[in-house]
Amino acid sequence: MSEAVAETVAERFGELYAAAPDGVWAAPGRVNLIGEHTDYNDGFVMPFALPHTAVAAVARREDGVLRLHSADIDGPVVELAVDALVPASDKGWTAYPAGVVWALREAGHAVTGADIHLASTVPPGAGLSSSAALEVVTALALNDLFALGLEGPQLARLCRRAENAYVGAPVGIMDQTASACCEPGHALFLDTRDLSQRQIPFDLAAEGMRLLVVDTRVEHSHSEGEYGRRRAGCEKGAALLGVPALRDVPYEGLDAALDRLGDDEEVRRLVRHVVTEDERVERVVSLLEAGDTRAIGPVLAEGHASLRDDFRISCPELDLVVDTALSAGALGARMTGGGFGGSAIVLAEEADVAAVTKAVQEAFVAAGLTAPRVFEAVPSAGARRLG
Ligand code: GLA
């Protein structure tokens, strides 16, 4: 399957640039099992990679020219000069690969140009990290072609730098690390403070369960400023509590911390979400490591309630998925990703998948909403070279 994709993408590269690429690489989108809006608070996250990937056919250049093309946009080839890349100057899809070239060069790596053709199966705007996939696939290809010797976590850091400084989105490190470092059959337990990671076996099919992704088709966007506002609120909370980041507020000390915040209700809610969410990640890790997989269901549902009521980033469509799935017998469900639309995840017994899916689809019809896209998420491989 990946060979066929690699061939198609290489062929199109040949048509566009009249030469064969030096290679073809892939990097996946992700879903986050638990640990939402914790990654810019130095906290814990637990994403896994989707089978959906961004694929890049790339050839190295020595002349300072960067040429970019996307099969998904299918406009003309965009030509840029690597030494004239300017942060925040580009609002389109080219900002992701160009931002990575900029970030690599800013970090002192001699990237002297490239021809790049990209094609992605990660649905855009669905909260499944389509942009991180574009960044990571570009970074991995350039790492190989320019023999930079960078490892997955370093590539993830550079991609985040690209997204923060060049694209202008104030995101954390989760999505890029997931795309760069995930392994098939595992979820990635990541400490976003020291970037230590642990691969946690997560093979639901072997235990008779499934994890569904329900893309509500409500397009989320970080640029609207709500993400940045939540982030600023968390930083305010940490400053008021005199800690470097909300990660440093112990779960056992939460009530005392909330008391200290007095009547700043908004900051109190943000702090409560982050501190309880970090505890939920640790609980999910313990349950999975103890082989008690079904017991993570209620923890996912708690996480959703916290994102909806305290962090206030859900939306009616996401709540509808979660409430309907739980009433139809799902073990757990929650929104995933940045919020304000995008996707929810649903954990269900294999035998209940059809009924739960039907219930969610009927609920959307009854509410007069666009039908959601539902697919099973199997923990898949992180970024890799295809050919
Ligand atoms: C987006 C960001 C991540 C993370 C999540 C919320 O996906 O890119 O860094 O903050 O939202 O958990």
Side-chain angles (χ1 to χ4, degrees):
M1 142 86 171
S2 59
E3 272 174 28
V5 174
E7 252 173 54
T8 313
V9 174
E11 246 175 64
R12 184 79 178 110
F13 181 100
E15 289 162 18
L16 290 160
Y17 299 117
D22 294 330
V24 181
W25 291 259
R30 61 97 190 94
V31 284
N32 189 18
L33 184 61
I34 190 83
E36 220 66 85
H37 287 266
T38 47
D39 66 348
Y40 51 81
N41 290 297
D42 281 2
F44 304 122
V45 295
M46 208 180 172
F48 65 85
L50 290 171
H52 308 66
T53 57
V55 175
V58 184
R60 173 179 166 145
R61 296 181 68 111
E62 315 297 332
D63 60 358
V65 171
L66 175 64
R67 294 196 291 179
L68 301 169
H69 185 266
S70 158
D72 312 309
I73 309 295
D74 212 20
V77 170
V78 174
E79 186 167 326
L80 303 163
V82 294
D83 57 7
L85 297 173
V86 179
S89 59
D90 179 356
K91 295 288 161 222
W93 68 271
T94 49
Y96 299 105
V100 169
V101 172
W102 173 84
L104 285 165
R105 288 172 58 85
E106 185 208 33
H109 301 294
V111 174
T112 52
D115 288 338
I116 302 181
H117 169 60
L118 292 156
S120 181
T121 54
V122 187
L128 301 174
S129 294
S130 58
S131 33
L134 290 181
E135 292 157 3
V136 172
V137 78
T138 304
L140 184 65
L142 297 173
N143 183 52
D144 285 359
L145 291 179
F146 289 92
L148 305 179
L150 301 169
E151 301 288 336
Q154 294 166 292
L155 293 176
R157 248 199 310 258
L158 286 162
C159 289
R160 181 198 181 187
R161 172 82 183 135
E163 186 143 353
N164 288 169
Y166 196 90
V167 178
V171 297
I173 192 76
M174 168 169 69
D175 304 345
Q176 292 79 8
T177 308
S179 186
C181 301
C182 278
E183 290 180 7
H186 292 77
L188 178 71
F189 175 37
L190 175 71
D191 179 334
T192 65
R193 168 163 280 167
D194 65 10
L195 300 185
S196 59
Q197 9 176 302
R198 202 151 90 221
Q199 301 285 345
I200 310 287
F202 191 57
D203 183 359
L204 291 172
E207 297 187 59
M209 284 171 281
R210 295 283 188 264
L211 194 119
L212 304 175
V213 172
V214 182
D215 170 11
T216 61
R217 298 187 192 243
V218 178
E219 280 226 15
H220 79 99
S221 165
H222 296 325
S223 54
E224 284 168 34
E226 290 293 340
Y227 185 97
R229 272 196 279 284
R230 297 303 184 284
R231 186 177 173 142
C234 289
E235 280 160 8
K236 182 177 172 195
L240 288 170
L241 292 168
V243 290
L246 291 182
R247 148 73 176 277
D248 299 300
V249 178
Y251 181 67
E252 301 69 34
L254 176 59
D255 287 343
L258 294 176
D259 285 348
R260 285 180 56 203
L261 289 171
D263 56 9
D264 192 337
E265 192 48 33
E266 192 186 327
V267 171
R268 283 164 58 97
R269 282 199 308 260
L270 298 178
V271 170
R272 189 161 53 211
H273 166 72
V274 173
V275 175
T276 58
E277 185 78 350
D278 271 337
E279 188 274 339
R280 281 186 285 275
V281 179
E282 293 189 285
R283 222 179 330 146
V284 164
V285 172
S286 305
L287 289 167
L288 290 178
E289 288 189 329
D292 200 358
T293 308
R294 284 176 173 77
I296 73 171
V299 190
L300 303 185
E302 269 176 47
H304 184 76
S306 179
L307 289 162
R308 182 192 60 209
D309 302 336
D310 274 344
F311 221 66
R312 305 209 168 178
I313 56 166
S314 188
C315 64
E317 293 84 351
L318 287 167
D319 293 343
L320 186 62
V321 176
V322 170
D323 295 345
T324 310
L326 293 175
S327 313
L331 295 161
R334 67 175 203 88
M335 55 152 283
T336 187
F340 307 105
S343 300
I345 54 172
V346 175
L347 177 70
E349 300 288 357
E350 195 182 330
D352 294 334
V353 164
V356 168
T357 305
K358 188 163 175 272
V360 169
Q361 271 157 351
E362 284 176 358
F364 270 61
V365 171
L369 297 165
T370 309
R373 176 173 25 211
V374 184
F375 62 91
E376 186 190 336
V378 178
S380 300
R384 63 221 179 255
R385 187 171 188 152
L386 296 181

